[in-house]
Amino acid sequence: MQNIDAPVNAENTDIINGNKVDNINDKQISTHENSLSVDEIIPENFNDYELERNENIPTNEKVDSEFKELAQKLKLNHKQVKEISSWANKTTLESINNYNIDMEQKREDTLTQLKTDWGSQHDANLKKSISTAKRLTEFAPEFGEYIEESKAGNDPKFIKMVLKLGELISEDKLNISSGVSADKKNYLGNLPVLSFDSMESK
C-alpha cells in the first residue's frame, strides 16, 4: 500500500519544531483567565486588592499594604483576600470587646476595693486622687503616659499613693529625703539607679 503523507505546511512545521508551543499556552492561559470571575483573579498589582472594612476598627495603611503584598506573593485571589480580611475584622472586634469587658471588670473591682478601704471617705478621696493625677500630668506628661500604658489607673495601691502625694503637696510637707534609709540592707537586690548613695557620690 502506498503511504500518503499529509501535506506539511509552515504552521504544522513550526508546531512540530516547537515554535508555536508558547503561543498555544498563552492562548490557553488567556482563555482560562477569561473564564474566571473578577473575584477569582489574582491582580497584577497588589494595591488592586480590596479589603473588607469595619468602621469600628481603626485603619492602618502600612499593615494593609503589607498584607496585600503578602497576599499577592501567596497568589491569593480577590475573593480569598476579602474573606481573610473579613475574618480578621471579626477577630479584632472580639478582642476589643473582650478587652473592654476585662477593663470594666477591673474598674468595678477597684472601686469596690476602695469603697471597702476608704468607707465614707471614698468619694472625696477618689476626687482628690483624680485631681492630683491631673496636676502631676500637667507638670510631667510622662506621668500620664505611664498611667495609660501600665493601666495603673485601675490599681488600688497606685490610686492610694497618688492620694498621699496630693496630700503631701497640698500641705507643703513633701520632703523627698525624709523617708529614705541609707542602710543598703533595706534594698532587695542591687541599688536602684536613682539611689541616694549613687547621687551623693557624684
Side-chain angles (χ1 to χ4, degrees), residues 13-73:
T13 303
D14 286 340
I15 293 175
I16 293 172
N17 292 333
N19 297 329
K20 288 291 184 178
V21 173
D22 290 339
N23 291 338
I24 293 174
N25 287 339
D26 290 342
K27 290 178 181 178
Q28 290 175 341
I29 292 173
S30 178
T31 302
H32 176 65
E33 288 183 347
N34 290 335
S35 67
L36 296 175
S37 66
V38 175
D39 284 344
E40 295 174 320
I41 295 176
I42 302 171
E44 294 182 1
N45 189 325
F46 65 85
N47 285 318
D48 291 336
Y49 282 118
E50 292 184 5
L51 305 181
E52 291 292 328
R53 299 293 184 186
N54 189 300
E55 60 182 10
N56 296 317
I57 301 176
T59 58
N60 187 318
E61 293 183 1
K62 182 176 183 295
V63 172
D64 289 350
S65 180
E66 290 177 351
F67 170 68
K68 290 178 181 180
E69 190 171 1
L70 176 61
Q72 190 186 48
K73 288 181 180 178

Side-chain angles (χ1 to χ4, degrees), residues 169-185:
I169 293 171
S170 63
E171 295 175 10
D172 197 24
K173 293 180 180 179
L174 190 59
N175 184 349
I176 295 178
S177 62
S178 63
V180 177
S181 172
D183 187 355
K184 296 182 180 180
K185 292 184 295 184

Side-chain angles (χ1 to χ4, degrees), residues 6 15 32 39 49 65 88-89 101 104 115 150 156 170 176 182 189 191 194-195:
I15 293 175
H32 176 65
D39 284 344
Y49 282 118
S65 180
N89 286 340
I101 291 173
E104 181 61 26
K115 286 179 181 179
S150 67
S170 63
I176 295 178
L191 287 171
L194 294 180
S195 68

